[in-house]
Amino acid sequence: MHQQPTLQRDPIKLRGSFSLEVILTLFAFKCMSPSAIYLSRGNHESKSMNKIYGFEGEVRSKLSETFVELFAEVFCCLPLAHVINEKIFVVHGGLFSVDGVKLSDIRAIDRFCEPPEEGLMCELLWSDPQPYPGRGPSKRGVGLSFGVDVTKRFLQENNLDLVVRSHEVKDEGYEIEHDGKLITVFSAPNYCDQMGNKGAFIRFEAPDLKPNIVTFSAVPHPDVKPMAYANNFLRMFS
């Protein structure tokens, strides 16, 4: 876990036909100004998801097999969460199947591996909020759904004010839930060239760190179909 500056954007999302260009741009920004950008791991930053949804094929087509292995290695180095000014918890997926998880527990996770199918690391990458209290099964079959009471309890126990996460397409690019204690922000407009959604990012400005949400629409891109490098089965549905 790292302290993060006042600008937050959606964690890396590798699902599209220009994923390589996107991630190399982000890495270039990180090299150019390390303290100005912090990258988070998402559920797609794993070998299995990269194979299914096309990032592996894209890298192999545009670069080489060597870079497939290098990306797999660097994904295992990405942080699972960040905290902004000790008050805002930033994560790709969501919260946990058990109460009492502290920031120290998250720091203690050995993230230098492929994500497991259960446990804290899995839930950070895969979980989603639900509109009713308590916990429930995930619509994805991995992770869980968690309610407003789970969010508020986690924030209170860790002296935090807000959860910011992504992992779900939203029509307006964002959604505020759980009595204002959780914001979903999704920065890919017209997701997979099919959803027609806006994209969004959040700017937190000192001293009060009030979220300023900025939305934007998709722009034209080169004529390459979405998920052009995915395996044959998925291309049938793209």
Side-chain angles (χ1 to χ4, degrees), residues 86-97:
E86 301 181 350
K87 288 299 179 184
I88 301 169
F89 182 73
V90 183
V91 68
H92 180 72
L95 301 180
F96 309 103
S97 57

Side-chain angles (χ1 to χ4, degrees), residues 153-187:
R153 194 154 50 240
F154 172 78
L155 293 174
Q156 183 178 20
E157 290 176 348
N158 288 282
N159 195 29
L160 299 165
D161 292 339
L162 179 68
V163 174
V164 176
R165 45 88 63 180
S166 43
H167 196 39
E168 293 179 286
V169 180
K170 298 297 180 181
D171 288 344
E172 295 301 314
Y174 73 97
E175 185 174 359
I176 301 173
E177 304 173 78
H178 292 184
D179 295 337
K181 294 297 184 180
L182 183 145
I183 303 177
T184 296
V185 59
F186 195 85
S187 67

Side-chain angles (χ1 to χ4, degrees), residues 7 34 40 49 71 84 97 99 154 156:
L7 183 63
S40 301
M49 298 295 281
F71 276 114
I84 302 175
S97 57
D99 292 329
F154 172 78
Q156 183 178 20

Side-chain angles (χ1 to χ4, degrees), residues 18 28 38 52 54 58 64 80 87 95 109 113-114 119 127-128 135 144 160 176 188 202 220:
F18 305 97
Y38 289 83
I52 294 170
E58 181 182 354
S64 70
L80 302 176
K87 288 299 179 184
L95 301 180
I109 296 172
C113 63
E114 291 301 306
S127 295
D128 297 291
R135 296 177 171 92
L144 71 145
L160 299 165
I176 301 173
I202 306 175

